Amino acid sequence: MPARRRISSAELRSRLWFDNPDNPGMTALYLERYLNYGLTGEELRSGRPIIGIAQTGSDLAPCNRHHMELAKRVRDGITAAGGLALEFPCHPIQETGKRPTAALDRNLAYLSLVEVLYGYPLDGVVLLTGCDKTTPACLMAAATVDIPAIALNVGPMLNGWMDGSRTGSGTVVWAARERHAAGDIDFQQFMDIVGSSAPSNGHCNTMGTASTMNALAEALGMSLPGQAAIPAPYRERGQMSYLTGKRIVEMVWEDLKPSDILTREAFENAIVACSAVGGSTNAPIHINAIARHVGVPLDCDDWERVGFEIPLLVDMQPAGRFLGEEYFRAGGLPAVMAELIEAGKIHEDALTANGATMGENCRGKHSWDREVIRPYGAPMREKAGFLHLKGTLFDSAIMKTSVISDDFAKRYLENPDDPLAFEGRAVVFDGPEDYHARIDDPALGIDEDTILIMRGAGPIGYPGAAEVVNMQPPGALIKRGIRALPCIGDGRQSGTSASPSILNASPEAAAGGGLALLETGDRVRIDLNKRSADILLPADELERRREALAARGGFPHPASQTPWQEIQRGMVDQLSDGMVLKPAPKYQRIATTFGVPRDNH
């Protein structure tokens, strides 16, 4: 890559706060309060880059809590490279703790971080990421403001173990839930099994949304190579924190911004990487959102076009057997990218945060462990990406193919008279409460030819779009060995789930989508050949139902419980479009477009 022009200290945006002789009154005001905890005027006016540390760790966010320690090493790296670190908190997001859903807070965290990055004297920022929504929230904000930024993942937990078997975070919950429903384990055994999957600090040790989004941050080029997979307690995690702190200072001098890295080629690399690692169904939502905030056209058709035919290379739960420690030791994302580069599936010239290209970072770094990270020519599964489905049920929904089990395929996709297609009788649930209350009701007549429908779970209806679509069959079917039924919904499911549900249906029922017209007993047809999902009813009957729905005031949803719920509901886009706030994508490259904000006094 050609050498980048290096800026001078006079070009640092922080100088307009702390060293502006043209406005001594305001410079004095900005300086004086930053002196009151021990900083000196010399430090603030020395021409050293001022680097923010966007702290997403807290006691409310246990998945990211280790960042409270790692931030010290980030600070050491910033200082060693000649920068000055200012650490600040981000809005907490904890997937397993926040009700009604952590997704409700992704856009709130994004908004607050935009205001911090733009409104305070920062020349660059280290984004401390980890738990599912923290990574896209940070990247969306960095892309919007467009000052030099680099991501640092907190890292996955150590492997969980019980009775000699790996217990992967999240994934074990769904397996134990089935065992509990079948009567194989009692309540305390359920708690003990699930608890065993969280043996250390860090985020999910499976390829759930957290591991996926941090791998994709690396695939996008927004972090140092190899950092995403390092388990949280490993010494390499602290070492990478130090190196990340050093690197952000250089990025400021090079004026290397998110808009330089987040190109169309970078997003296509992320899509390809997602298929290869068996990534979460939440990835298209968040990656599409980041693309919209940086101004790169990207939609769910791109996910199928670019990523569907990419094979599954990583044998990691929920699509495989292993967990985060094996994946890291086998080489992590650089080893996956090496396979994809050799197969000609990666844009090698895409620029990354360390100033080198993706090809320079990853070419030839093949794994030594071909059981955990497979060669491109001997994958776990061919064509492991997402399918993008459309029809009278919705305009857009995705299906993850890397988790289609042999049993599911035999039941629903291998009819010689109708291959890769199936029909079934719909049983409709209006939200998870309705599902939990009625799933075992014999009167519903649920059998192996039933399609379970979850609606009212989208960005408006829930609100925030909840992970409630991965519905298990009734206990009576589980006892007969039927552990998965086809599921369709306008919400999401956990990235740790191995269910091949059809998810993220847009528009959702609360926005007038086809799911709002569906009634229990209707027949539904899914055709993966045609990428279609349809209600098997005449058009005039669907129109009659639509008119009746409008006359009733539309699909009902619970009242907003907080001001933010009402605000977001009033301006949020659908899952297929990234669930962004509709006005937000028009604000791009704020720091360059608008310069520094007006003075505050």
Side-chain angles (χ1 to χ4, degrees):
M1 298 293 291
R4 298 182 62 86
R5 183 188 76 88
R6 295 179 68 84
I7 67 169
S8 68
S9 60
E11 297 173 87
L12 295 173
R13 68 191 300 267
S14 62
R15 295 292 294 274
L16 294 175
W17 275 260
F18 294 141
D19 192 21
N20 186 2
D22 295 331
N23 195 346
M26 288 308 305
T27 299
L29 186 146
Y30 293 134
L31 269 172
E32 57 96 12
R33 210 54 58 96
Y34 284 90
L35 305 178
N36 74 356
Y37 61 94
L39 283 175
T40 67
E42 179 185 4
E43 290 175 285
L44 293 169
R45 299 178 65 191
S46 65
R48 298 165 62 184
I50 296 180
I51 307 297
I53 302 175
Q55 176 60 270
T56 60
S58 71
D59 289 347
L60 284 176
C63 287
N64 288 23
R65 193 181 187 279
H66 189 41
H67 270 313
M68 296 166 72
E69 291 299 317
L70 293 174
K72 298 174 183 176
R73 293 298 288 143
V74 174
R75 186 183 292 268
D76 290 342
I78 292 168
T79 302
L84 179 64
L86 296 180
E87 186 176 344
F88 59 88
C90 295
H91 181 87
I93 307 178
Q94 175 57 38
E95 188 63 39
T96 57
K98 178 61 163 62
R99 295 187 181 191
T101 172
L104 184 70
D105 286 9
R106 187 203 67 179
N107 288 339
L108 185 58
Y110 152 78
L111 284 176
S112 65
L113 185 53
V114 166
E115 293 301 318
V116 171
L117 297 183
Y118 182 53
Y120 281 89
L122 300 174
D123 299 304
V125 64
V126 179
L127 308 166
L128 302 186
T129 66
C131 188
D132 300 13
K133 314 303 180 296
T134 59
T135 305
C138 286
L139 291 176
M140 288 157 59
T144 296
V145 180
D146 204 33
I147 63 173
I150 190 169
L152 174 70
N153 179 23
V154 73
M157 294 180 287
L158 300 178
N159 288 6
W161 292 90
M162 192 164 202
D163 298 328
S165 297
R166 293 176 183 84
T167 53
S169 46
T171 299
V172 74
V173 176
W174 321 123
R177 190 173 66 172
E178 290 176 3
R179 294 181 63 190
H180 186 253
D184 296 339
I185 56 175
D186 62 23
F187 174 82
Q188 189 55 51
Q189 289 172 309
F190 192 170
M191 299 302 107
D192 291 343
I193 291 170
V194 174
S196 72
S197 68
S200 74
N201 50 39
H203 60 63
C204 287
N205 51 27
T206 48
M207 189 55 72
T209 305
S211 289
T212 298
M213 288 309 303
N214 288 289
L216 299 191
E218 188 175 316
L220 285 168
M222 286 296 295
S223 63
L224 294 182
Q227 72 88 34
I230 304 170
Y234 280 27
R235 65 184 182 186
E236 290 91 341
R237 179 55 62 191
Q239 292 165 350
M240 187 62 76
S241 301
Y242 175 77
L243 294 174
T244 299
K246 290 187 68 176
R247 178 57 193 158
I248 186 59
V249 177
E250 283 300 303
M251 290 176 71
V252 169
W253 291 126
E254 295 169 7
D255 197 28
L256 181 56
K257 303 182 296 296
S259 60
D260 300 313
I261 296 170
L262 295 174
T263 61
R264 172 72 186 198
E265 291 73 22
F267 284 102
E268 291 190 357
N269 285 348
I271 291 173
V272 170
C274 187
S275 298
V277 302
S280 167
T281 50
N282 289 301
I285 302 168
H286 300 315
I287 294 296
N288 289 0
I290 297 165
R292 291 191 68 188
H293 285 91
V294 80
V296 172
L298 195 74
D299 59 29
C300 290
D301 282 333
D302 291 317
W303 282 81
E304 179 173 331
R305 181 182 60 80
V306 175
F308 173 60
E309 295 193 356
I310 300 300
L312 176 63
L313 303 182
V314 177
D315 190 348
M316 185 173 174
Q317 296 181 28
R321 298 169 294 165
F322 298 108
L323 294 172
E325 288 190 82
E326 289 92 356
Y327 175 53
F328 167 64
R329 291 169 184 164
L333 189 74
V336 177
M337 298 300 271
E339 297 296 326
L340 297 169
I341 287 170
E342 190 171 85
K345 302 299 182 181
I346 290 295
H347 298 287
E348 291 189 61
D349 290 339
L351 184 62
T352 74
N354 69 350
T357 66
M358 186 61 67
E360 290 168 337
N361 288 337
C362 300
R363 175 171 280 282
K365 294 190 175 179
H366 300 283
S367 176
W368 61 271
D369 189 338
R370 294 307 206 172
E371 189 176 12
V372 177
I373 300 177
R374 306 290 182 87
Y376 190 91
M380 290 183 63
R381 180 191 293 269
E382 302 282 355
K383 299 182 179 180
F386 300 127
L387 293 176
H388 188 208
L389 307 179
K390 306 174 185 179
T392 53
L393 276 172
F394 38 70
D395 295 340
S396 171
I398 62 167
M399 183 177 185
K400 181 177 177 178
T401 62
S402 65
V403 292
I404 296 176
S405 68
D406 291 341
D407 180 68
F408 188 93
K410 288 176 183 177
R411 288 182 185 276
Y412 303 109
L413 301 176
E414 295 181 2
N415 180 349
D417 298 323
D418 197 12
L420 294 178
F422 59 93
E423 297 180 10
R425 172 179 168 271
V427 172
V428 181
F429 298 103
D430 290 327
E433 297 85 0
D434 184 29
Y435 160 76
H436 289 297
R438 296 196 296 130
I439 184 60
D440 289 307
D441 184 353
L444 290 177
I446 297 175
D447 60 21
E448 59 191 282
D449 295 318
T450 298
I451 298 177
L452 303 180
I453 306 292
M454 174 70 72
R455 65 186 181 187
I460 298 171
Y462 202 73
E467 294 185 340
V468 294
V469 179
N470 49 328
M471 298 171 281
Q472 69 184 29
L477 288 187
I478 294 175
K479 290 176 182 178
R480 287 173 43 201
I482 301 172
R483 298 189 172 273
L485 291 175
C487 300
I488 301 174
D490 59 6
R492 302 175 298 110
Q493 78 179 26
S494 171
T496 65
S497 173
S499 169
S501 303
I502 296 172
L503 304 161
N504 310 348
S506 305
E508 63 183 296
L515 289 180
L517 309 180
L518 200 62
E519 297 176 2
T520 292
D522 291 340
R523 291 194 65 78
V524 168
R525 177 174 174 80
I526 307 300
D527 190 330
L528 301 188
N529 299 294
K530 298 179 180 178
R531 312 296 198 256
S532 62
D534 294 296
I535 310 170
L536 297 181
L537 288 172
D540 58 350
E541 171 61 14
L542 292 177
E543 183 58 30
R544 185 194 66 77
R545 291 187 186 185
R546 192 174 298 281
E547 291 174 357
L549 178 67
R552 296 194 300 270
F555 187 83
H557 57 69
S560 295
Q561 299 163 312
T562 65
W564 171 240
Q565 290 183 14
E566 180 176 345
I567 291 167
Q568 174 151 283
R569 272 175 158 160
M571 62 175 67
V572 72
D573 223 329
Q574 291 293 292
L575 290 172
S576 59
D577 292 317
M579 204 181 81
V580 304
L581 300 177
K582 291 179 181 179
K586 70 182 180 183
Y587 294 93
Q588 294 177 9
R589 297 167 177 78
I590 290 176
T592 302
T593 303
F594 298 108
V596 296
R598 300 168 72 182
D599 286 320
N600 58 26
H601 283 75

